[in-house]
């Protein structure tokens, strides 16, 4: 991978976000100058960290995952494959930094919830569903029916769960798809499907894994409810705690020490799995092992720099901007509502392109499809879906409407679209829903939305933002798939002197998109 080319691409993704915040921070919504300086430094660190992280993924994490998936499948032991898959899902998820933060947030709203318990519940959910996802790939089961049945069961369970836990449960599905887990899980699925030589089954594993924690947390909430464990707690306490922690983290030095620990905890389980797999399964050459170790080192350095940038001023500026815009919209109404919603839409459209896991997904899609599905086209549709999700989140932040009003119709639409969408695009769509809600979205966008919610009627429910961000790409990418299918059929009807091969025809269709 050309590091200079990757640096340029990541900068193009992040700089527009910085431009929007700086423009508003110096004009309509004046922000503290020190905060803006920290925001700029954080943004530059974010660009550098993302570039190095992606280099590490290409060198180490992705090849390791693909080799593990392929070798486990070649062993022709379904039990071994499923047991290893559960262990991988459980260990990697339990160590994910986003899950640790998420557990603290849930504990802040519901003190009766044990952080260790909900962490293990989420990890078990991922482990079980990664088993089901790989089983589906090996048995060549329909990905559409898999998603349809799983979500049907999921929403049946949700009606028995307390309303106050719906947002938490669906947010947990997004929180599991962190920058370390997604590349490995996706590569594992690609490795298994490569042995079967079936590209239509290459995607969907991350989407299936995202269902597990949601279902597990809903069941956990039903058990707590049966014990009479819930009590009404104002979400203002969470916002107060968030403000207190933001105030406590006042320098990049303090943040760095904390982030290094988080990044190390995040990458250590994967590296330990690599050592075990190398000894008992992979048996790669010395040169290959050195290359993967270098990749892990790059991924660790890049993730550390990335998280320092996000937590060192990037997310704080988002919270401050959202709080001021929300307050102005409520006080003055009119044009300020338009500015609030417009800012949310713009940030949602741009910021998803800077997510590490989104870059990994888009590159793998382009690679597996032989270039017929262009990365830039995928990013455009993903950005549109995320923009609509953030726009809805802004409306909910200031109005406080019930999350089910959006979630249930949204998933029904996604299920209906599956009937007309090619299977490959359905798998990509559900994977996109997971990767869109990564660390950048979960920090800057979540902070921006919670800031707006603290000034509006949505402050009584601080969860559900990630859920909406994870849902909208399911619709957007499947719409892309349907358009792709229609263009392809139209192309096939043309009277060519020489019939083109499939890759050429599909490439022309994609260019038309």
């Amino acid at each position: 991978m050309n590091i200079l080319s990757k640096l340029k691409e990541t900068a193009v993704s992040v700089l527009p976000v910085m431009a929007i915040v700086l423009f508003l921070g110096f004009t309509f919504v004046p922000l503290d100058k020190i905060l803006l300086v920290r925001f700029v430094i954080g943004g530059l660190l974010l660009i550098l960290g993302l570039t190095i992280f992606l280099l590490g993924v290409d060198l180490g994490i992705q090849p390791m995952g693909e080799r593990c998936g392929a070798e486990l499948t070649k062993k022709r032991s379904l039990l071994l494959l499923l047991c290893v898959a559960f262990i991988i899902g459980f260990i990697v998820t339990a160590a994910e930094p986003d899950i640790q933060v998420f557990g603290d947030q849930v504990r802040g709203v519901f003190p009766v919830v044990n952080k260790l318990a909900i962490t293990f519940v989420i990890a078990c959910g991922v482990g079980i569903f990664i088993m089901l996802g790989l089983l589906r790939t090996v048995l060549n089961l329909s990905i559409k029916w898999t998603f349809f049945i799983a979500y049907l069961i999921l929403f049946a369970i949700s009606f028995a769960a307390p309303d106050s836990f719906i947002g938490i449960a669906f947010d947990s599905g997004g929180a599991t798809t962190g920058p370390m887990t997604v590349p490995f899980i996706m590569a594992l699925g690609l490795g298994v499907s490569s042995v079967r030589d079936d590209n239509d089954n290459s995607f969907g594993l991350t989407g299936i894994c995202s269902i597990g924690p949601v279902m597990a947390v809903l069941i956990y909430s039903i058990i707590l409810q049966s014990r009479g464990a819930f009590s009404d707690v104002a979400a203002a306490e969470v916002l107060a705690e968030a403000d207190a922690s933001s105030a406590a983290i006042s320098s990049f030095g303090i943040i760095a020490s904390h982030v290094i620990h988080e990044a190390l905890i995040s990458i250590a389980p994967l590296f330990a799995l690599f050592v075990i797999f190398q000894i008992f399964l992979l048996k790669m050459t010395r040169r290959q092992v050195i290359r993967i170790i270098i990749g892990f080192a790059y991924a660790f350095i890049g993730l550390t720099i990335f998280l320092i940038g996000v937590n060192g001023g990037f997310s704080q500026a988002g919270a401050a901007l959202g709080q001021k815009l929300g307050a102005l919209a409520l006080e003055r109404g009119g044009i300020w509502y338009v500015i609030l919603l417009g800012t949310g839409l713009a940030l949602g459209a741009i910021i998803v392109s800077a997510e590490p896991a989104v870059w990994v997904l888009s590159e793998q899609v382009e690679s597996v499809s032989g270039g017929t599905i262009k990365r830039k086209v995928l990013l455009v549709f993903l950005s549109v879906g995320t923009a609509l999700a953030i726009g809805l989140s802004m409306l909910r932040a200031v109005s406080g409407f019930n999350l089910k009003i959006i979630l249930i119709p949204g998933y029904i639409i996604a299920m209906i679209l599956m009937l007309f969408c090619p299977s490959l695009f359905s798998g990509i769509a559900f994977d996109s829903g997971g990767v869109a809600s990564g660390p950048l979205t979960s920090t800057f966008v979540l902070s921006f939305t919670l800031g707006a919610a603290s000034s509006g009627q949505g402050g009584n429910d601080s969860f559900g933002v990630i859920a909406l961000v994870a849902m909208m790409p399911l619709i957007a990418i499947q719409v892309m798939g349907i358009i792709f299918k229609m263009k392809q059929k139209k192309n096939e009807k043309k009277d060519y002197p020489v019939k083109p091969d499939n890759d050429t025809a599909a490439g022309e269709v994609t260019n038309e998109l």
Side-chain angles (χ1 to χ4, degrees):
M1 180 176 67
N2 188 325
I3 191 169
L4 292 178
S5 173
K6 191 61 63 182
L7 178 63
K8 179 182 177 181
E9 290 178 339
T10 53
V12 169
S13 299
V14 178
L15 290 176
V17 177
M18 298 176 64
I20 292 173
V21 175
L22 290 174
F23 173 73
L24 292 173
F26 280 110
T27 56
F28 298 102
V29 192
L31 297 178
D32 182 73
K33 299 300 183 292
I34 296 178
L35 179 60
L36 290 176
V37 170
R38 292 179 59 191
F39 170 76
V40 171
I41 296 174
L44 296 176
L45 290 175
L46 188 150
I47 294 171
L48 177 63
L50 179 57
T51 303
I52 298 174
F53 173 81
L54 291 171
L55 178 62
V57 169
D58 281 358
L59 286 175
I61 297 173
Q62 186 172 326
M64 172 194 164
E66 291 180 0
R67 285 177 178 272
C68 287
E71 291 299 323
L72 285 170
T73 306
K74 289 177 182 177
K75 293 291 183 182
R76 298 191 179 280
S77 173
L78 186 59
L79 181 61
L80 174 65
L81 174 65
L82 297 182
C83 288
V84 172
F86 177 83
I87 293 171
I88 290 173
F90 184 90
I91 292 178
V92 173
T93 303
E96 182 65 50
D98 288 352
I99 295 298
Q100 307 301 319
V101 176
F102 183 76
D104 288 330
Q105 290 175 332
V106 176
R107 174 83 175 165
V109 176
F110 298 104
V112 70
V113 174
N114 183 280
K115 179 184 176 181
L116 185 63
I118 197 168
T119 299
F120 283 170
V121 164
I122 292 172
C124 282
V126 174
I128 292 171
F129 271 75
I130 196 174
M131 289 172 58
L132 295 176
L134 291 179
L135 181 64
R136 182 204 70 80
T137 302
V138 172
L139 299 180
N140 199 26
L141 301 176
S142 169
I143 190 169
K144 295 182 179 181
W145 277 106
T146 302
F147 280 124
F148 182 79
I149 293 172
Y151 274 102
L152 190 64
I153 296 172
L154 178 64
F155 277 99
I157 295 173
S158 71
F159 283 107
D163 285 344
S164 56
F165 235 76
I166 298 297
I168 293 174
F170 278 89
D171 279 359
S172 71
T176 57
T177 50
M180 294 306 303
T181 57
V182 168
F184 188 81
I185 289 176
M186 289 183 62
L188 185 66
L190 288 172
V192 173
S193 62
S194 67
V195 176
R196 298 183 55 85
D197 194 24
D198 184 3
N199 282 351
D200 282 353
N201 272 324
S202 299
F203 299 97
L205 183 58
T206 303
I208 292 173
C209 290
S210 297
I211 301 172
V214 181
M215 193 177 293
V217 171
L218 286 175
I219 294 172
Y220 177 63
S221 70
I222 293 172
I223 294 173
L224 289 179
Q225 186 181 44
S226 66
R227 297 176 180 175
F230 290 123
S231 61
D232 293 331
V233 181
E237 296 178 10
V238 182
L239 294 171
E241 289 178 8
D243 290 340
S245 29
S246 293
I249 303 177
S250 56
S251 70
F252 282 96
I254 298 174
I255 294 169
S257 61
H258 177 69
V259 163
I260 289 173
H261 180 255
E262 278 193 346
L264 188 61
I265 290 176
S266 181
I267 202 170
L270 273 181
F271 187 76
L273 287 172
F274 162 67
V275 173
I276 295 172
F277 288 151
Q278 169 62 16
I279 295 173
F280 296 103
L281 181 67
L282 301 178
K283 302 186 185 302
M284 293 183 290
T285 64
R286 179 185 179 89
R287 183 176 180 180
Q288 291 172 326
V289 170
I290 292 175
R291 180 182 174 88
I292 288 182
I293 291 175
I294 293 173
F296 268 96
Y298 277 134
F300 170 72
I301 295 170
L303 183 61
T304 301
I305 296 173
F306 176 87
L307 292 175
I308 290 173
V310 169
N311 296 310
F314 212 73
S315 61
Q316 287 86 346
L321 183 64
Q323 189 170 15
K324 287 196 173 185
L325 277 175
L328 288 169
L330 285 172
E331 290 173 8
R332 303 180 186 179
I335 188 64
W336 289 103
Y337 272 111
V338 176
I339 294 175
L340 175 64
L341 295 178
T343 303
L345 288 169
L347 291 174
I350 296 170
I351 208 168
V352 69
S353 299
E355 285 287 5
V358 169
W359 280 84
V360 175
L361 172 67
S362 61
E363 289 180 343
Q364 287 186 345
V365 167
E366 190 171 58
S367 174
V368 170
S369 67
T372 59
I373 304 174
K374 300 297 183 184
R375 181 174 61 83
K376 291 182 179 179
V377 177
L378 180 68
L379 289 175
V380 167
F381 278 85
L382 192 55
S383 295
V384 171
T386 308
L388 293 174
I390 302 303
L392 290 171
S393 299
M394 290 296 99
L395 286 175
R396 185 167 180 259
V398 295
S399 64
F401 60 78
N402 193 310
L403 187 63
K404 286 183 179 179
I405 295 175
I406 300 297
L407 279 183
I408 294 177
Y411 277 99
I412 289 175
I413 293 172
M415 296 299 112
I416 293 173
L417 288 174
M418 279 202 303
L419 300 175
F420 308 98
C421 181
S423 296
L424 176 61
F425 280 90
S426 291
I428 295 172
F430 281 86
D431 279 356
S432 300
V435 302
S437 50
L440 190 55
T441 304
S442 299
T443 51
F444 183 84
V445 174
L446 182 58
S447 298
F448 179 74
T449 308
L450 291 182
S454 67
S455 303
Q457 299 176 32
N460 61 347
D461 187 357
S462 53
F463 295 97
V465 179
I466 301 175
L468 292 175
V469 172
M471 181 195 73
M472 290 305 296
L474 309 186
I475 299 172
I477 300 301
Q478 289 194 107
V479 169
M480 171 187 170
I482 293 171
I483 295 173
F484 183 95
K485 182 179 179 181
M486 293 170 61
K487 293 282 188 180
Q488 194 171 39
K489 284 184 177 180
K490 182 180 178 181
N491 214 25
E492 289 172 355
K493 291 179 180 179
K494 292 181 179 179
D495 192 14
Y496 289 101
V498 179
K499 186 178 180 180
D501 58 59
N502 291 335
D503 287 345
T504 303
E508 292 174 358
V509 172
T510 308
N511 288 332
E512 289 184 32
L513 285 173

